[in-house]
Amino acid sequence: MQALPPALPAHPQLWLLPRLALLLFVAAVLGLLGYLRVSEREEARLVLISDVLWIEQNLRFQFDQTEERLTSLLASAREGKLDEASFRLRARLIGEGNPALSGVRLQLGKQMFLYGEQASDAGLADARKLAQARSKAAYTDLLNRDGQVAVVLRDSEHEVSAVLTLPRLLSQQVPWWFANKYRLALLDAQGQEVASKSRVAADDDALSYQLSFDPPGHGMVLKVVAYRAPTGIVQKGLVAGVIVLALIVLYTWWRLHRQVQGRLSAELALREEHAFRTAMESSLSVGMRARDLDGRMIYVNPAFCRMTGYSATELIGSTPPYPYWTEDVASHQALNEAVLAGRAPHDGYELTMRHRDGHLVHTRVYTTPLIDATGKQRGWMSSVVDITAQKAAEAREHEQEEKLRQTGRLIAMGEMASTLAHELNQPLMAMSTYASAARQFASQGEAGMLDSTLSKIAEQAQRAAGVVRRIREFVRKHAPHSEPCDLNAIALDTLELIEPDARARLVRLRYELVAGMPIIQADRVLLGQVMVNLLRNAVDACVDQPTERREVMLQTRFDAHSVQLSVRDRGHGISPEAAERLFEAFYTTKSLGMGIGLNICRSIIEQHHGQLGFSNLPEGGTHFYLSLPR
């Protein structure tokens, strides 16, 4: 690939001054907006305080005026110039001057005049004491939830009191313009709202101010919260102009920066792309080869050069025959023509190349059309995978498999010899027993018994021949000989064979054979060998037990899918360690055992598509069971 020119030197100081100026400009704009915000808030707070003090003075004036009129009423009562009619007239005039007034009570000794709502004596008790002690008006705490308080004036014999409703006072005395700007609320000593001019809640961050409301006192305060005022048009215009100006400056700087950095960015992108493609081509282990429509090589990557031993300069521009072709040029030429004609296999094809140093390289080639930016095919692109190591591994694997097959044949011969030695031992021992009995019958002149014994010897000889034949077929992994078999009949023959040895070792043989046992297709000789092995193992397990526990039970049964046989003994059982390896070849718990009996039995049953298993009995002993399909 063609190398790029060297990169232009960078000049970071070129953009230092514009960036600094832009940063200062943004900081100045933010500072100006912040200053305007703080200034506006401080001005609003001063106006709020001024308005609160004005409304507080207005409310205080209303209370002072009410106190003066009540004082004048009390003075008239002392002079004796007041009767009930004049009292009501004076009380109505006081109420008209203060809309918050709800009622007036005048006490002259034992004589009492009443007008409107009245407070209870209990609610007035503390205010009476304070008014008499101070000789001036005293106010009660809140009388009820309606926000009513009472004011009391008292001397030694005369008393006047009035009930004032605070919500009505705020409603009448707070002007509309104040309610439009602020929310006015009267709070008690516990911070609970007693009365308010507006029920609309203000923002959490709105300006607020509060001061003591005295009179009536008792911890009550006036709290004023300002509603958020809409920003003025001039201020909005100023802020919008500043923002637009900032955006124009930013856009101008961005355009200038983009214009200057355009060529450097394009060069950097091209350089990164070139570096990426170079690194990718160098790191690929798959060879890449591009040819035009005439078969001329126009591109190779380093991996392909390593496969062939030729440099890119030597390969690019070459035409068939290529320098890496083997001596079989005709085959290469035919395959090359098929590929250039578009008949390359989709799953690839194998190609043997000769390296420059002479050794052969086995590859698999995948070819696809080479399409340019306009969508036109310019040639063919091939991916070449080196499969030399894979070929060598396959050859080694084939050689290893051949060795394993040979070893398997040797192992099978060993198994056959071991099996013959194990399985022929039983019929040979039976023939020996029958021969001794025949000799005894011959000496006694019992021709009938002698003939029966000789027949049994011949039968055992045939059995031994059958064992040899069946075991040989089994080792060769041939299917078992199939014939109709009665599991009960095989079990009786096996019991007859084992019974003399069991009787000699004082082991009782018991059996329960189910009636109506179905006939199955199986190998009678191999099934007999399985039963002989299971019964002999059961007898051996009982030998070292007390006489009363020397017992072996054989049972048969069947269901809709299979026939089953089980052998139970009352021996020592099987330990957990032995249970894990019981069916392994050449593993035995007997001092003279070969360890292949149960392994062969399991293989025989599995060849008959059956199952062989075991379990320890709770009362002691072992239970072996097998099942065969019907």
Side-chain angles (χ1 to χ4, degrees), residues 140-377:
T140 66
D141 201 349
L142 289 174
L143 299 175
N144 49 44
R145 294 182 179 180
D146 294 334
Q148 291 182 334
V149 296
V151 57
V152 180
L153 288 88
R154 179 181 178 86
D155 57 18
S156 59
E157 296 181 356
H158 303 85
E159 174 185 310
V160 61
S161 63
V163 176
L164 301 175
T165 303
L166 298 180
R168 192 184 303 169
L169 175 67
L170 295 185
S171 177
Q172 295 295 327
Q173 296 301 318
V174 177
W176 64 268
W177 60 266
F178 191 92
N180 287 340
K181 292 176 60 178
Y182 310 106
R183 183 179 188 274
L184 177 64
L186 180 62
L187 309 179
D188 60 12
Q190 288 74 35
Q192 300 295 322
E193 185 175 292
V194 177
S196 66
K197 177 61 175 178
S198 174
R199 296 288 180 179
V200 180
D203 295 338
D204 292 338
D205 60 345
L207 292 174
S208 64
Y209 187 78
Q210 64 182 31
L211 72 166
S212 299
F213 189 46
D214 187 15
H218 297 284
M220 286 192 289
V221 296
L222 279 175
K223 182 177 181 181
V224 178
V225 182
Y227 295 117
R228 185 180 296 276
T231 306
I233 297 177
V234 176
Q235 184 177 355
K236 288 182 179 180
L238 177 61
V239 173
V242 171
I243 293 175
V244 170
L245 180 60
L247 291 177
I248 292 175
V249 172
L250 288 174
Y251 177 75
T252 304
W253 179 87
W254 173 75
R255 289 290 297 178
L256 179 62
H257 183 269
R258 182 179 179 184
Q259 190 71 21
V260 173
Q261 293 293 331
R263 184 174 181 276
L264 294 178
S265 299
E267 180 183 337
L268 179 60
L270 181 59
R271 191 175 301 278
E272 290 179 351
E273 179 68 20
H274 181 268
F276 174 75
R277 289 191 57 185
T278 302
M280 182 178 63
E281 294 171 3
S282 300
S283 62
L284 280 178
S285 60
V286 177
M288 304 297 296
R289 177 191 66 184
R291 296 180 295 173
D292 61 17
L293 296 176
D294 297 327
R296 186 181 303 276
M297 213 169 289
I298 58 177
Y299 167 77
V300 290
N301 71 337
F304 187 80
C305 294
R306 289 193 296 269
M307 289 181 189
T308 61
Y310 295 94
S311 64
T313 305
E314 294 173 311
L315 292 176
I316 294 178
S318 62
T319 57
Y322 301 117
Y324 52 80
W325 279 4
T326 62
E327 290 78 3
D328 191 3
V329 178
S331 298
H332 283 286
Q333 187 65 40
L335 183 59
N336 182 70
E337 292 176 358
V339 172
L340 294 179
R343 299 195 301 270
H346 293 291
D347 56 349
Y349 57 91
E350 291 190 6
L351 176 66
T352 301
M353 301 187 301
R354 183 173 298 279
H355 194 271
R356 189 167 194 167
D357 61 10
H359 75 272
L360 297 179
V361 180
H362 299 280
T363 63
R364 191 166 190 84
V365 183
Y366 303 87
T367 301
T368 56
L370 180 62
I371 309 299
D372 63 8
T374 62
K376 183 179 179 180
Q377 182 178 355

Side-chain angles (χ1 to χ4, degrees), residues 327-600:
E327 290 78 3
D328 191 3
V329 178
S331 298
H332 283 286
Q333 187 65 40
L335 183 59
N336 182 70
E337 292 176 358
V339 172
L340 294 179
R343 299 195 301 270
H346 293 291
D347 56 349
Y349 57 91
E350 291 190 6
L351 176 66
T352 301
M353 301 187 301
R354 183 173 298 279
H355 194 271
R356 189 167 194 167
D357 61 10
H359 75 272
L360 297 179
V361 180
H362 299 280
T363 63
R364 191 166 190 84
V365 183
Y366 303 87
T367 301
T368 56
L370 180 62
I371 309 299
D372 63 8
T374 62
K376 183 179 179 180
Q377 182 178 355
R378 291 183 53 197
W380 302 93
M381 174 63 74
S382 299
S383 301
V384 185
V385 182
D386 188 350
I387 60 173
T388 305
Q390 179 183 343
K391 286 286 187 180
E394 290 176 355
R396 290 193 298 270
E397 183 179 358
H398 180 73
E399 182 181 357
Q400 187 69 19
E401 288 178 355
E402 185 61 30
K403 291 181 180 179
L404 289 176
R405 281 195 291 270
Q406 183 179 0
T407 304
R409 286 192 292 270
L410 294 175
I411 293 174
M413 293 175 64
E415 289 181 355
M416 183 172 66
S418 300
T419 302
L420 286 174
H422 183 271
E423 300 298 336
L424 288 178
N425 185 50
Q426 298 169 1
L428 290 177
M429 288 181 62
M431 292 171 65
S432 176
T433 302
Y434 288 140
S436 299
R439 186 179 298 109
Q440 183 178 358
F441 291 148
S443 63
Q444 295 175 357
E446 297 183 5
M449 295 299 295
L450 177 60
D451 182 68
S452 175
T453 303
L454 292 176
S455 297
K456 290 181 178 179
I457 291 175
E459 182 181 345
Q460 291 301 318
Q462 293 177 0
R463 183 185 186 91
V467 168
V468 173
R469 184 178 67 255
R470 296 292 191 266
I471 293 300
R472 184 170 56 196
E473 294 176 353
F474 169 71
V475 171
R476 291 179 180 177
K477 302 300 181 184
H478 289 172
H481 176 70
S482 181
E483 59 182 335
C485 297
D486 184 351
L487 202 62
N488 285 345
I490 301 175
L492 289 174
D493 291 343
T494 305
L495 288 169
E496 181 181 356
L497 181 62
I498 297 298
E499 197 274 334
D501 181 58
R503 183 172 61 252
R505 303 170 76 174
L506 301 180
V507 177
R508 297 182 300 278
L509 293 179
R510 298 175 53 211
Y511 60 91
E512 295 178 0
L513 305 180
V514 66
M517 174 66 69
I519 302 300
I520 62 173
Q521 294 292 324
D523 192 312
R524 179 184 181 87
V525 174
L526 293 183
L527 291 185
Q529 294 302 312
V530 172
M531 292 185 192
V532 168
N533 193 288
L534 295 180
L535 286 172
R536 191 173 297 280
N537 288 344
V539 170
D540 292 342
C542 294
V543 170
D544 58 353
Q545 298 295 315
T547 305
E548 63 274 9
R549 290 184 59 86
R550 297 184 183 182
E551 180 179 277
V552 175
M553 169 64 76
L554 183 145
Q555 292 178 311
T556 61
R557 59 183 182 275
F558 66 92
D559 56 28
H561 305 286
S562 63
V563 295
Q564 301 97 32
L565 179 137
S566 63
V567 177
R568 291 183 174 87
D569 64 66
R570 301 182 66 186
H572 47 71
I574 299 174
S575 66
E577 295 79 9
E580 295 180 357
R581 305 182 56 190
L582 195 60
F583 291 104
E584 290 184 10
F586 306 108
Y587 174 78
T588 181
T589 58
K590 301 177 184 179
S591 58
L592 300 178
M594 297 181 63
I596 62 173
L598 286 177
N599 179 267
I600 293 174

